[in-house]
Amino acid sequence: MSDKLPVIDLSTASAGPQARARFHEALHSAARDVGFFHLTGHGISQEETADLMRALRAFFALPEADRLAIGNINSPHFRGYTRIGDERTGGSQDWRDQLDIGAERAPRVPGPGEPGYWWLEGPNQWPTALPELRTAALHWIERLSSVAQRLLHELLTAIGAPAGFYDEAFADRPHLHLKLVRYPGSSPDGAGQGVGAHKDYGFLTLLLQDEVGGLQVEGPDGTFLDVPPLPGAFVVNLGELLEVATNGYLKATNHRVVSPPGNRERFSVPFFYNPRLDARIEPVPFPHTHLAPGVTQDRANPLFAEYGRNEIKGWLRAHPEVARRYHADLLAEGTPVG
């Protein structure tokens, strides 16, 4: 990995056969060798981005009481506001606060014998003082779903796989997830963990970050490299299920956020493109399978082909207060949390 992420222009996929071939070669290399890249040419307008960022900043400017009124401690579906320090990565506090949003659905309570991951379907919580936030956030989920679907099709094509191989896994009720995140500066103890090193659970993550920076990606030698913001681009990274799908040919890469210095704020919006919770991720057929080294083995972070099992283990681990309040049965049953 170099000290700069590759830049992939999605619009060149439609620019003629030669440009499309070069695009697929660049995308293949970025996904295989790095697992992270900047995405331009995605079709999301500056106006759409500005609308979302205005709503995000307005939310974090609300009085704390208004934000806590929609705290995720009120939601067995892990939706809503998490105050600074209440989320954990790698067992340590993340120095950020955030609003977790997903597709608007009726609450799903697992029946006898049903997997506990169905708790992850349910309604969002919205601040009554800021109705425009709901409009902006749900529009963003819809728009980025289209971008991510196209990107996944192109990525599969780039490695020689059928473009629509996983369409059925995303049909009907994909588990789409959006975070609105604020990093308020360094914690009082001077720790720099905005969010600790981790991998994402699903297929693709598209990150919008402001101009402050702080995202870092782990290189092959274990050192973390800065990812400076690129105006107008999303930072894309591959999730664990693409590693499972390709038997390690494509890899989910560790990444983290270092808190901005002093009291300077940083805002970011990660969007997670994930399949149905009950989707089982079958191995994708592609011509490079003989080069696949196998899935990364990490006893602290086991990978599962059934997507919901990856997702629920992460939520139970990251939000222990919500887990204890609503999901003691899952913890007692031994649902893997790390």
Side-chain angles (χ1 to χ4, degrees), residues 72-329:
N72 73 345
I73 195 65
N74 303 319
S75 170
H77 316 290
F78 297 90
R79 305 290 178 86
Y81 176 70
T82 304
R83 63 186 175 183
I84 296 168
D86 277 4
E87 186 178 29
R88 284 162 172 76
T89 303
S92 299
Q93 284 185 322
D94 294 327
W95 202 246
R96 63 178 185 174
D97 56 347
Q98 63 192 26
L99 181 65
D100 283 293
I101 302 165
E104 284 280 25
R105 294 188 180 134
R108 175 79 182 261
V109 177
E114 288 191 315
Y117 56 65
W118 287 119
W119 278 111
L120 297 175
E121 282 201 355
N124 294 301
Q125 298 189 80
W126 303 105
T128 56
L130 195 64
E132 61 267 31
L133 178 63
R134 183 181 190 275
T135 301
L138 294 182
H139 175 78
W140 196 255
I141 288 175
E142 179 181 3
R143 292 285 282 124
L144 263 66
S145 294
S146 297
V147 175
Q149 180 186 49
R150 183 184 177 198
L151 180 60
L152 179 59
H153 282 181
E154 297 292 357
L155 175 56
L156 292 175
T157 300
I159 67 170
F165 187 78
Y166 290 114
D167 283 358
E168 195 277 332
F170 284 85
D172 188 30
R173 302 169 73 84
H175 191 70
L176 308 174
H177 179 213
L178 182 69
K179 283 181 181 284
L180 308 182
V181 185
R182 174 180 62 174
Y183 298 88
S186 299
S187 63
D189 64 3
Q193 177 169 309
V195 61
H198 66 284
K199 300 175 182 179
D200 295 340
Y201 313 136
F203 268 69
L204 292 170
T205 302
L206 279 67
L207 172 71
L208 172 68
Q209 56 175 342
D210 67 9
E211 70 284 353
V212 174
L215 175 65
Q216 296 183 334
V217 174
E218 187 176 26
D221 62 354
T223 61
F224 280 84
L225 307 175
D226 291 325
V227 181
L230 180 65
F234 293 111
V235 178
V236 175
N237 67 277
L238 279 57
E240 292 175 336
L241 286 191
L242 272 174
E243 180 170 333
V244 170
T246 61
N247 195 30
Y249 183 76
L250 303 178
K251 273 195 166 53
T253 303
N254 267 326
H255 53 287
R256 68 186 185 188
V257 174
V258 176
S259 295
N263 295 321
R264 189 177 188 188
E265 292 181 319
R266 174 185 186 262
F267 296 97
S268 69
V269 185
F271 168 77
F272 304 91
Y273 186 62
N274 302 323
R276 296 189 328 274
L277 288 167
D278 62 345
R280 291 193 62 82
I281 307 306
E282 300 297 333
V284 62
F286 68 108
H288 309 292
T289 53
H290 62 290
L291 299 176
V295 174
T296 301
Q297 299 299 317
D298 183 350
R299 294 181 61 186
N301 184 38
L303 300 182
F304 303 102
E306 191 174 14
Y307 169 62
R309 298 187 69 195
N310 284 309
E311 186 77 1
I312 191 65
K313 71 176 167 106
W315 285 102
L316 294 171
R317 181 170 52 198
H319 296 274
E321 291 185 24
V322 178
R324 285 192 294 267
R325 184 168 187 175
Y326 298 106
H327 304 302
D329 57 333

